[in-house]
Amino acid sequence: MLLLLLGLILMSYNSSQRIESDEKMQINNLLDQWHKAAAAADAKNYFDTMTEDAIYVGTDASEHWSKSEFQTFAKPYFDRGKAWDFKPLERHIYLSKDKKTAWFDELLDTWMKVCRGSGVLVKTGNKWKIKHYVLSMTIPNDVTNDAIKIKSDIENPLIEKLKSK
């Protein structure tokens, strides 16, 4: 009886691991296709990958867009035939226990050099969609002080404006 119980537990665990692995593979493929759609200026597939209430946070402190605001911003880039070409270098994907929410972080090779993307996906039906995405430029620790000097004149007024709200 104990052996049977252990066997059932092991089968259940293996099944759960397989489901998680399959979900992560689907998410990985979705994110790869999302980045490829931008590089190919395929606006339909790019934006269809996002939920209707998705948020996109860009590298500039002023870039916090709803999906429709992001579409408006991105339209000229897609219209010219090539938006941006971000190539994943590394990605980590995590799943909630119920396998209906996922979050990830990734390092990307971009025209800005290494950037970090992170986001949240939700599963509706049997399809994953991006609900929230944040793109950040990375700054090597050794040049942080140089970056601060460059940013200060631009961001100090923004800091004061945001503090006064």
Side-chain angles (χ1 to χ4, degrees), residues 51-84:
T51 63
E52 287 309 308
D53 62 345
I55 298 294
Y56 188 99
V57 180
T59 58
D60 188 286
S62 68
E63 297 173 343
H64 186 277
W65 296 305
S66 66
K67 180 179 178 177
S68 63
E69 291 167 335
F70 184 47
Q71 285 174 299
T72 299
F73 165 82
K75 187 176 184 335
Y77 297 96
F78 281 89
D79 286 351
R80 74 177 183 205
K82 185 177 181 189
W84 41 86

Side-chain angles (χ1 to χ4, degrees), residues 29-52 54 56 67 70-71 74 78 83-84 121 127-130:
N29 290 337
L30 174 133
L31 292 170
D32 284 347
Q33 293 307 309
W34 189 57
H35 290 307
K36 287 177 183 175
D42 182 352
K44 179 179 179 359
N45 281 327
Y46 185 84
F47 289 104
D48 282 354
T49 302
M50 301 169 76
T51 63
E52 287 309 308
Y56 188 99
K67 180 179 178 177
F70 184 47
Q71 285 174 299
F78 281 89
W84 41 86
L121 298 100
K127 196 170 189 177
W128 286 100
K129 292 227 175 192
I130 298 168

Side-chain angles (χ1 to χ4, degrees), residues 15-16 37 40 49 56 66 72 98 115 122-123 125 129 143 163:
S15 175
S16 176
T49 302
Y56 188 99
S66 66
T72 299
D98 66 3
C115 284
V122 292
K123 190 166 191 180
K129 292 227 175 192
V143 296
K163 282 182 178 179

Side-chain angles (χ1 to χ4, degrees), residues 10-22:
L10 184 59
M11 284 179 13
S12 173
Y13 177 78
N14 286 338
S15 175
S16 176
Q17 292 297 103
R18 188 171 45 256
I19 290 168
E20 183 164 325
S21 178
D22 289 347

